[in-house]
Amino acid sequence: MTCRNRHCPKCQGAARAHGLPSGKPNSFPCRISTWSLPAPAREIAFQNKAVVYAILFRCAAETLTTIAADPKHLGAHLGVTAVLHTWGQTLQHHPHVHCVLPGGGPSLDGTRWVACRPGFFLPVRVLSRLFRRLFLQELQAIFAAGQLGFFGNLAHLAHLAHLAHLADPAVFTQRLDQLRRTDWVVYAKPPFGGPEQVLAYLGRYTHRVANSRLISLADGKVSFSWKDYRQNRKAKVMTLDAGEFIRRFLLHTLPDGFHRIRHYGFLANGGRNDKIALCRQLLAVRNAPVDQQADGDPLVKCEIPVCSHCGGTMRRVDVVPRACARDHPFRCDTS
């Protein structure tokens, strides 16, 4: 029996394995980038998930496609697959978007493939500043339209002497000014392996929270593994009271109907097949037969064994030696 909830850390294994749909750039030279929000913006995002997460998606994609189309940087159309990820290593609220994109694209006139320089994609500082400007412009617009709500600590800002309300336009403007003076983190790099490894990695974050990092539940406490990036990614185990773990877990539930995976540029749904065909033609990549494409697709042929009943990840617990198998033929007992 499975609950079929997309946030469940035990279910949705099969859906996760197929999490990124067709049209992915896995036959192209590949890059990845990460777009994060600073703490003052994360507070607003948590209380306005649907609208602010949507802004995060749009601004990251618009920044990439705008800078890539600039002849001073790349001069090419870009395709982007973006996946929302809202938790950090310790399950605190840390919304950011991972983008998978080819290391180049069709030229603006569509006659040739323009590749980025080896070891360099787009200038991170330029990306960061445009991303910040676009995000704050959209945030200001939805505030003016009355689409933001503020509750709890944002309703009465205790660090201000007059206990101001963030819904006050003057106070909200102060928050925007604070965000303009903050450096925004944009991270871009080639994948460690190849495009297939990147897509398989992102697939692990599309349908579940905390992945397979859960270790145990005992005596009302939950233990899970995490990496301490301040200590050179040292692996550690964190143990929390069940109530605190559930609180952190529920920080990452998404609004009903919210799409965690989105596509932009030549990977957007409108005309995607024709645009990908053009990219492959420009790259002189021949389309393999459909059956061969499915066999070589890491998201169709998943190397992670998945339970056919609950969709959870299966783990090897023992191996029967061959000699033992000959002496004692395997008997399947389902009673």
Side-chain angles (χ1 to χ4, degrees):
M1 184 65 67
T2 172
C3 72
R4 303 180 65 83
N5 188 291
R6 62 173 170 168
H7 303 100
C8 179
K10 300 296 291 183
C11 302
Q12 296 292 307
R16 176 263 304 165
H18 300 271
L20 297 177
S22 60
K24 50 206 166 295
N26 63 338
S27 61
F28 304 148
C30 190
R31 294 293 186 273
I32 60 177
S33 65
T34 304
W35 305 73
S36 301
L37 295 179
R42 292 200 296 265
E43 294 179 338
I44 299 174
F46 178 70
Q47 296 188 3
N48 302 271
K49 291 182 178 180
V51 291
V52 178
Y53 289 169
I55 291 176
L56 174 58
F57 269 113
R58 287 196 302 270
C59 293
E62 184 178 350
T63 299
L64 284 167
T65 54
T66 299
I67 299 302
D70 189 339
K72 293 187 299 183
H73 298 295
L74 192 62
H77 294 296
L78 207 60
V80 181
T81 293
V83 180
L84 177 67
H85 186 192
T86 62
W87 61 93
Q89 283 292 313
T90 59
L91 296 186
Q92 299 287 13
H93 185 241
H94 182 66
H96 53 284
V97 166
H98 293 287
C99 294
V100 182
L101 52 154
S107 60
L108 301 183
D109 59 6
T111 60
R112 61 190 178 89
W113 178 267
V114 180
C116 66
R117 288 180 284 170
F120 179 82
F121 181 52
L122 293 171
V124 173
R125 184 176 294 274
V126 174
L127 293 173
S128 176
R129 290 178 176 176
L130 178 58
F131 174 57
R132 178 178 60 187
R133 178 166 62 84
L134 293 175
F135 185 94
L136 294 180
Q137 285 177 350
E138 289 217 30
L139 195 63
Q140 176 68 67
I142 63 171
F143 175 81
Q147 298 180 22
L148 292 179
F150 304 105
F151 315 93
N153 64 319
L154 296 187
H156 297 89
L157 302 181
H159 63 280
L160 297 179
H162 55 286
L163 296 178
H165 196 299
L166 196 57
D168 183 333
V171 178
F172 189 80
T173 299
Q174 291 178 6
R175 176 62 62 96
L176 294 184
D177 290 340
Q178 177 187 3
L179 288 167
R180 288 190 184 94
R181 295 191 298 268
T182 302
D183 289 332
W184 290 43
V185 177
V186 175
Y187 186 61
K189 66 173 184 177
F192 289 115
E196 295 82 1
Q197 288 77 12
V198 173
L199 291 172
Y201 166 78
L202 290 181
R204 295 198 292 270
Y205 296 96
T206 56
H207 290 79
R208 306 195 295 179
V209 174
N211 311 327
S212 58
R213 294 198 280 126
L214 296 175
I215 296 175
S216 66
L217 169 61
D219 300 324
K221 296 183 181 296
V222 178
S223 297
F224 61 94
S225 61
W226 67 289
K227 294 178 182 177
D228 190 344
Y229 288 97
R230 295 182 179 180
Q231 296 187 12
N232 196 26
R233 299 171 59 93
K234 182 178 180 181
K236 296 182 178 181
V237 174
M238 179 169 289
T239 300
L240 301 174
D241 290 334
E244 172 60 17
F245 175 82
I246 293 173
R247 186 194 70 82
R248 295 193 189 188
F249 184 89
L250 293 178
L251 295 176
H252 313 292
T253 56
L254 297 177
D256 290 342
F258 189 88
H259 292 277
R260 193 194 294 268
I261 308 170
R262 304 189 183 191
H263 306 276
Y264 301 90
F266 66 70
L267 292 177
N269 290 332
R272 176 169 56 193
N273 291 337
D274 292 340
K275 294 175 183 177
I276 290 179
L278 172 63
C279 292
R280 286 176 173 154
Q281 179 182 356
L282 296 177
L283 281 167
V285 175
R286 295 181 179 179
N287 289 320
V290 175
D291 56 344
Q292 293 183 15
Q293 290 180 358
D295 290 341
D297 188 338
L299 299 175
V300 174
K301 181 180 179 182
C302 182
E303 297 180 356
I304 304 174
V306 176
C307 176
S308 59
H309 295 285
C310 72
T313 301
M314 300 174 64
R315 298 180 181 179
R316 178 180 296 177
V317 296
D318 202 356
V319 177
V320 179
R322 288 191 174 186
C324 178
R326 288 196 302 268
D327 296 340
H328 304 283
F330 174 73
R331 173 174 174 266
C332 181
D333 185 357
T334 60
S335 60

